[in-house]
Amino acid sequence: LNDLAKTHALTIEQVQQILRASGIDFLSNTKQLTEVQQAKVALLIQEHLKANVVDEKLDRLVKQHKIFIDTCSLVQPKAIAFLNTLEPALKKHNSKLIIPIRVIEELEKIQRGQTGEVVELSKAVCQHLALMQQRGVLDLRGEDTDNFADNVFDVVFSKFRLQYKLMLITQDKALAKEMLQKNSSQAIRGKTIVVQKIDRHGKLVDVEQKAQKIAEKTIPANERFQPAKQVTSVSDSLMNVQHIPD
């Protein structure tokens, strides 16, 4: 354990805590491990450290906002990878991811009424969300009178942006546009709403940002259109008028 602690720049207590969380308990920090055990333990420590690295941008957003997530983002291929990155930040700031009950119902509806990859993604993310709820980093909220999910976001964000900084994670461009338009409302001066989406790497990006930008072509100087400095180079001249109509 001493060697493991030195190798990974951890204390003995931290190493023991990681091992216990993985179902391994060593009463003595001098106990010798076999090479196979050492390799297994080293892998567990690396996975633990990797899972608990907090992304700086995500850390800032979690610290400053109450975060909601939409159905379409939860069925992205990298949704669970994102949630794994999000969880350490939620724990660090004693916060929770907020999901309306209507979103969960939409995920269940996908499982009943659709086929293919989206069904498997929905099942996997529902299981993951259940574990997050058990770990105390997810809050399911809703009322019997709630309408569909998009409407819930609209009502909640309109009501609570006066009190809190709110952030929505969604892939839905129309919903994102609607949420962002609230920031320019002259009638209600609330806190700025932030909208993000999950990209193909499992990271958060601005919803307007395209995944890939088209590089601008370089136009040769001799083919560029040059703006004129004057309207025309033809000199003015007087014209004789022979007849002026009544």
Side-chain angles (χ1 to χ4, degrees), residues 9 46 59 78 96 105 130 148 152 162 174 185 197 237:
Q46 289 173 5
D59 183 71
K78 290 293 184 178
K96 294 183 180 182
E105 290 175 352
F148 57 94
V152 172
L162 296 173
S185 171
K197 67 179 180 180
S237 61

Side-chain angles (χ1 to χ4, degrees), residues 136-231:
V137 291
L138 184 148
D139 197 3
L140 296 180
R141 296 186 185 180
E143 300 176 1
D144 293 338
T145 56
D146 285 345
N147 209 320
F148 57 94
D150 286 10
N151 180 257
V152 172
F153 290 128
D154 181 53
V155 171
V156 170
F157 276 56
S158 296
K159 180 178 180 179
F160 290 102
R161 65 183 292 250
L162 296 173
Q163 300 172 249
Y164 306 106
K165 289 185 177 181
L166 305 175
M167 184 177 93
L168 175 64
I169 301 170
T170 183
Q171 315 297 116
D172 187 334
K173 292 181 180 180
L175 177 60
K177 182 179 180 180
E178 185 178 340
M179 293 295 106
L180 291 172
Q181 284 177 341
K182 296 180 185 298
N183 292 330
S184 57
S185 171
Q186 298 297 320
I188 302 176
R189 296 283 184 172
K191 300 183 186 297
T192 300
I193 293 171
V194 173
V195 182
Q196 299 277 292
K197 67 179 180 180
I198 301 173
D199 71 4
R200 60 193 180 92
H201 303 292
K203 301 288 185 181
L204 287 184
V205 295
D206 293 338
V207 75
E208 302 93 348
Q209 181 178 327
K210 294 181 180 179
Q212 295 180 343
K213 294 183 178 179
I214 301 175
E216 296 182 359
K217 294 182 179 180
T218 303
I219 302 174
N222 62 343
E223 296 181 13
R224 295 176 188 170
F225 177 80
Q226 299 296 331
K229 296 181 180 179
Q230 61 185 40
V231 177

Side-chain angles (χ1 to χ4, degrees), residues 118-133:
V118 70
V119 174
E120 298 306 316
L121 290 171
S122 178
K123 289 180 180 179
V125 83
C126 281
Q127 293 174 356
H128 191 86
L129 294 176
L131 293 175
M132 289 182 67
Q133 187 178 27

